Structures are given as C-alpha cells and as structure tokens.
Amino acid sequence: RAIDTIAQTGRTRIGLVGLAFKPGTEDLRQSPMVTVVKALVARGCDVKVLDRKIVLDALLGENRRYLTAEIPDIASRLCPDMASLIAHADVLVIGTKSDDAERAAKLVAPDCVVIDLPRALRRSTIGKDPSRPLRPERATMARARLES
C-alpha cells in the first residue's frame, strides 16, 4: 500500500527519511522500508535515503549482507546530510519517527509531497486522513498553528 501511495504521486525523485525498522537502530533485516526502496527503484524511481544510523562501513554480518542483497546500489542512495536529501526530493517519505523526519518535513520545497508512513509527524501536521499524501500547503498551515 505504501508503494502504491508513493507511486500515485506521479513523481520519481523520492527522498526517504529512516530506513531502519525502528528509530535509533541500524538493524535493517526486518525493515519494510528496505522493501519500499527496492520496489520504488524497480518502478524507475530515483530514491535517496537519509538515516544517520546507517553507515555502510560499520555494518557487519547478516545486516550488511541483507542490505546489499536487497539494494545493491545502496551506497549511491545514502545521502550524507539533510540538505542533499531535501534538494533531491519531489516526494518526501517519512519511514521512521525521528528528529530528522520532523526537520525534513519543515524544510521541503512548497511543491514537495510529504507522505508520513508511520504517522511520525505531529497529528496536526499530517492532517485528518493520515493515509493520504500530505500536501505541503496543509503542512505549512498546520505548522503555523503549532508555532503560534
């Protein structure tokens, strides 16, 4: 369902925040986001990932084997910083709750679609129907209410 929601935007430059299956871990073996990235790439999307816990040189054993088997070109998909992810994304996908997810949602371009899969953003930010892609203008209005 997540893959279809992202594909329905009609956009191919995807930025994903959070690849691991839960915040604060580098374990990717049970992560549905690995499957999402693999499927989007198979559909021709240009996917970039920001997950500060994922450092390829530090991944060991089964975790590393799994990631490189599922996403062989993962090294070229990992963004070194938030700015490069934001500059790339026409669609921002929140994969895992984190400070980076909140920050990215606030920094995206006005025409970027934000899709919050784990419902990690504040409830007022994601709107009434969390299964629908979040349009930036709704996010901007919700953030303005939160900040006032």
Side-chain angles (χ1 to χ4, degrees), residues 35-51:
T35 303
V36 168
V37 170
K38 183 177 178 179
L40 290 172
V41 169
R43 289 184 180 205
C45 293
D46 182 7
V47 182
K48 298 291 185 184
V49 176
L50 179 68
D51 190 322

Side-chain angles (χ1 to χ4, degrees), residues 44-64:
C45 293
D46 182 7
V47 182
K48 298 291 185 184
V49 176
L50 179 68
D51 190 322
R52 297 181 197 273
K53 290 288 185 181
I54 307 303
V55 180
L56 282 182
D57 293 338
L59 286 179
L60 302 171
E62 186 58 33
N63 203 22
R64 183 180 182 92

Side-chain angles (χ1 to χ4, degrees), residues 49-107:
V49 176
L50 179 68
D51 190 322
R52 297 181 197 273
K53 290 288 185 181
I54 307 303
V55 180
L56 282 182
D57 293 338
L59 286 179
L60 302 171
E62 186 58 33
N63 203 22
R64 183 180 182 92
R65 279 190 292 281
Y66 172 75
L67 181 59
T68 56
E70 294 297 307
I71 311 171
D73 61 346
I74 188 64
S76 66
R77 297 190 180 284
L78 290 173
C79 288
D81 54 44
M82 180 72 67
S84 58
L85 181 80
I86 297 301
H88 171 80
D90 289 331
V91 176
L92 177 70
V93 177
I94 307 300
T96 307
K97 181 178 181 175
S98 68
D99 290 341
D100 279 339
E102 287 283 338
R103 196 166 133 231
K106 292 177 183 177
L107 293 173

Side-chain angles (χ1 to χ4, degrees), residues 11 13 15 82-93 101-115 134-141 143:
R11 300 174 183 202
R13 294 172 53 91
M82 180 72 67
S84 58
L85 181 80
I86 297 301
H88 171 80
D90 289 331
V91 176
L92 177 70
V93 177
E102 287 283 338
R103 196 166 133 231
K106 292 177 183 177
L107 293 173
V108 292
D111 62 340
C112 184
V113 176
V114 177
I115 301 174
L134 172 67
R135 297 289 175 185
E137 58 273 11
R138 295 237 7 218
T140 302
M141 292 180 349
R143 279 194 290 279

Side-chain angles (χ1 to χ4, degrees), residues 122-140:
R122 292 187 185 121
R123 182 74 180 135
S124 60
T125 302
I126 62 173
K128 293 181 181 175
D129 184 357
S131 67
R132 295 181 60 203
L134 172 67
R135 297 289 175 185
E137 58 273 11
R138 295 237 7 218
T140 302

